[in-house]
Amino acid sequence: MLSKHHWWRDAVIYQVYVRSFLDSTGDGIGDLAGVRAGLPYLKKLGVDGIWLSPFYPSPQHDHGYDVADYCGVDPLFGDLAEFDLLVSAARRFGVKVLLDIVPNHCSSEHPWFREALAAEPGSPARARFHFADGRGPDGSEPPNNWHAMFGGPAWSRAGDGQWYLHMFTPEQPDWNWRNPEIPAEFDRVLRFWLDRGVDGFRIDVAAGLFKHPELPDSDDPEADARTRDSVNPLAWNQPEVHDVWRHWRSICEEYRERDGRERLLVGEVSVPTAREHAQYVRPDELHQAFFFDLLSAPWDADAFRKVVSEAMQDIAGTGSTVTWVLNNHDQVRTVTRYGEPVPEGSGLGAARARAAALLMLALPGAAYIYQGEELGLPEVVDLPDDVLTDPIFRRTGSRARVRDGCRVPLPWSGQASPFGFTSGAEGVRPWLPQPEYFAEYATDRALADTRSFWHLYRDGLQLRRELPQLGEGDLRWLDTPPGVLAFVRGDGLVCAVNFGTAPTPAPVSGTPLLASGPCPAAGVLPGSTAAWWIADL
């Protein structure tokens, strides 16, 4: 019997960055058994599902986003038997499991790419990728002027003089999706994991895959590579990509018809406008796509209102629901991004991050929480150069876009590193060093302190489950003074956020149901604070 409840439409999914979640083997690197051990914690928090970062066999040049085998588990993280145990345990806890799939590129150690390097120009093996002759009299110049997202040219030269395309790093060659072998191979990969019981996939670089068939020069190659989320229109958002998502959606529907369980496709879609974003979540394509505009919006009431309004108009208008995010493994931690450059949890950035969390959880649609956000972790900004592992740093020499600071392993307990993250032998340390101040953010302390970030998230998630006004649906804006944002959900649930630092009159009277900070008096909303009320409007 087919389920009538579309669980994904208002789900809250927790992103598990596996290597930084919990280490069960004592080698300083998180693993699948650690995720399984953490399920009671996640169940207590109240999330509906987890998204696992890549754990496939990989040389780890980009921490698993360089996949050498799409149907296995890297020994760093366990094996297929451990994966099966994780899926079974998650099902017992009522927690969905989403895998991160990487269809735009693979590892340079993938057997097909190694075969391509050994093959002749023009061979079927090379046709699975983008190989091309170079320019200039001796072919010593790249085939076009494209830049890689992680710095440098988007082309590297093979031993026989041809060049191959990689939109990220040379260790991540791009697949040629115009070759029918590639979609057929990914059909096999999807079915392999669906047959093992997963509930869906987070799709890396979902606006990528297809490149302009003629591989022409870009009009502004520097702009194409200026930021992590910039878009080269010749290599991104090509119209053929929508046929792939229609086909993948049909595979998910096939499995749903077998057993009534809906499988989810959520895409990492980096496109310039909400209207283009909406094209990816039409009824026969992806179920969801991350809406990054909320994450990138400045802390400003007008900016947030514009972002939310556009999303509700263009994305929810397709029949899908908006998928809200405030952070992920590629972004500066929310506490730091909102104005707190030092690790003091009572500062302005922390107050704003708490308010943003309540705002996000009150919005219609789904929400994704990056691990550690529920602890209020700040960005680790003082990692020394010699421990940085991000390929962006290796390729550019710049720390400006380095992502290691948001990937430092979680603190679980205790007063000193490794804070319960690993129980390894003396001298085994977490793969990235944890600062001393992480003791203030450890989960045992957070659970014991009812004023912590963790309790705010837990209470918000619990009310989101209990209150019919929250989750899927619509919103109505209320008139507010400058610097304040307020909207109504359903039958009288009001969410208001004071973006300023001075107190302001609350939009409704009475004691808040939940507030991101202390509300000292009825009818007052302190600065940098969000609150929920049930009101008779």
Side-chain angles (χ1 to χ4, degrees):
M1 182 177 178
L2 298 183
S3 170
K4 295 182 179 179
H5 174 63
H6 303 295
W7 64 268
W8 49 270
R9 294 182 66 86
D10 59 357
V12 177
I13 307 295
Y14 184 97
Q15 181 190 354
V16 175
Y17 195 71
V18 176
R19 64 168 39 238
S20 296
F21 185 72
L22 184 60
D23 170 25
S24 73
T25 61
D27 63 357
I29 298 174
D31 47 53
L32 294 179
V35 178
R36 181 158 59 94
L39 285 174
Y41 166 81
L42 296 174
K43 180 66 174 179
K44 183 181 293 187
L45 181 62
V47 298
D48 298 298
I50 56 175
W51 145 32
L52 303 174
S53 62
F55 51 77
Y56 315 108
S58 165
Q60 303 293 317
H61 290 293
D62 189 20
H63 295 164
Y65 284 93
D66 49 323
V67 181
D69 176 3
Y70 287 87
C71 295
V73 175
D74 195 293
L76 276 175
F77 306 119
D79 53 27
L80 282 172
E82 179 55 51
F83 174 81
D84 292 340
L85 289 174
L86 171 58
V87 172
S88 297
R91 187 157 299 162
R92 289 194 300 272
F93 279 104
V95 173
K96 308 289 186 183
V97 177
L98 309 182
L99 303 193
D100 205 324
I101 193 165
V102 189
N104 180 74
H105 49 265
C106 66
S107 166
S108 55
E109 297 298 314
H110 191 285
W112 279 8
F113 188 72
R114 286 158 51 180
E115 180 186 352
L117 288 179
E120 297 291 327
S123 65
R126 289 203 170 180
R128 295 168 177 150
F129 302 91
H130 295 278
F131 278 84
D133 293 329
R135 297 193 290 194
D138 56 357
S140 61
E141 298 296 323
N144 66 28
N145 64 354
W146 295 1
H147 280 238
M149 301 287 282
F150 289 175
W155 295 88
S156 288
R157 204 171 191 187
D160 60 7
Q162 276 205 316
W163 298 74
Y164 68 89
L165 179 68
H166 49 83
M167 294 306 298
F168 290 88
T169 72
E171 294 84 13
Q172 295 167 287
D174 281 39
W175 293 110
N176 177 11
W177 272 82
R178 300 182 190 281
N179 183 324
E181 286 191 77
I182 306 309
E185 173 64 5
F186 276 92
D187 280 9
R188 182 185 74 86
V189 171
L190 290 184
R191 292 181 184 279
F192 177 87
W193 294 111
L194 289 169
D195 288 342
R196 299 192 93 90
V198 304
D199 296 287
F201 302 93
R202 178 264 187 186
I203 304 166
D204 189 60
V205 194
L209 278 61
F210 287 88
K211 281 65 181 172
H212 190 290
E214 297 176 6
L215 301 176
D217 277 346
S218 170
D219 291 336
D220 189 358
E222 294 290 343
D224 294 340
R226 195 164 290 141
T227 68
R228 168 65 177 82
D229 298 319
S230 61
V231 173
N232 177 346
L234 300 172
W236 250 244
N237 204 23
Q238 295 288 301
E240 298 93 334
V241 75
H242 296 284
D243 292 331
V244 176
W245 309 140
R246 291 186 183 97
H247 178 64
W248 285 25
R249 179 68 173 261
S250 73
I251 293 175
C252 290
E253 292 302 310
E254 173 191 326
Y255 277 79
R256 181 184 66 89
E257 290 170 0
R258 290 184 192 175
D259 57 17
R261 287 177 46 224
E262 287 196 290
R263 276 71 167 186
L264 170 65
L265 298 174
V266 55
E268 180 196 35
V269 174
S270 298
V271 290
T273 67
R275 184 161 298 179
E276 289 172 285
H277 180 112
Q279 295 176 5
Y280 286 82
V281 292
R282 289 175 287 196
D284 61 344
E285 294 194 38
L286 302 177
H287 300 82
Q288 297 176 332
F290 297 120
F291 187 64
F292 294 119
D293 292 33
L294 190 69
L295 184 160
S296 59
W299 184 254
D300 175 83
D302 292 337
F304 268 60
R305 178 165 178 161
K306 180 176 184 292
V307 162
V308 172
S309 296
E310 289 180 354
M312 294 302 298
Q313 174 181 320
D314 294 328
I315 298 170
T318 66
S320 180
T321 54
V322 185
T323 305
W324 308 101
V325 290
L326 288 172
N327 209 302
N328 62 33
H329 64 290
D330 289 328
Q331 305 295 334
V332 173
R333 288 278 186 189
T334 310
V335 167
T336 303
R337 197 174 71 246
Y338 284 152
E340 189 61 64
V342 294
E344 297 173 354
S346 61
L348 183 62
R352 289 173 172 177
R354 290 171 64 94
L358 274 199
L359 169 67
M360 179 179 71
L361 293 177
L363 289 171
Y368 281 65
I369 300 169
Y370 177 49
Q371 69 178 38
E373 292 292 290
E374 82 284 6
L375 301 175
L377 284 180
E379 184 84 354
V380 181
V381 298
D382 55 356
L383 293 169
D385 287 357
D386 62 355
V387 306
L388 294 179
T389 61
D390 193 329
I392 293 176
F393 179 70
R394 295 199 305 270
R395 285 183 61 76
T396 67
S398 169
R399 299 174 64 101
R401 294 159 52 197
V402 169
R403 301 163 295 170
D404 286 313
C406 71
R407 300 175 177 185
V408 174
L410 295 184
W412 288 89
S413 61
Q415 298 298 315
S417 182
F419 299 111
F421 167 74
T422 179
S423 57
E426 186 71 25
V428 175
R429 312 306 297 168
W431 70 277
L432 280 174
Q434 300 160 305
E436 293 181 4
Y437 62 76
F438 261 32
E440 300 296 319
Y441 301 91
T443 59
D444 61 348
R445 184 172 296 192
L447 268 66
D449 181 1
T450 57
R451 301 164 300 174
S452 70
F453 266 82
W454 191 91
H455 279 274
L456 179 71
Y457 269 92
R458 195 280 307 272
D459 293 347
L461 290 172
Q462 183 175 340
L463 287 172
R464 188 178 164 102
R465 285 177 178 269
E466 295 174 353
L467 297 176
Q469 296 96 331
L470 293 176
E472 189 177 350
D474 205 345
L475 63 78
R476 174 168 58 88
W477 296 107
L478 296 178
D479 292 333
T480 54
V484 177
L485 203 61
F487 55 85
V488 182
R489 296 294 320 280
D491 184 19
L493 186 135
V494 175
C495 173
V497 184
N498 182 357
F499 284 78
T501 56
T504 187
V508 296
S509 60
T511 302
L513 190 66
L514 182 63
S516 64
C519 284
V524 174
L525 185 61
S528 308
T529 298
W532 296 353
W533 293 262
I534 297 291
D536 185 11
L537 298 176

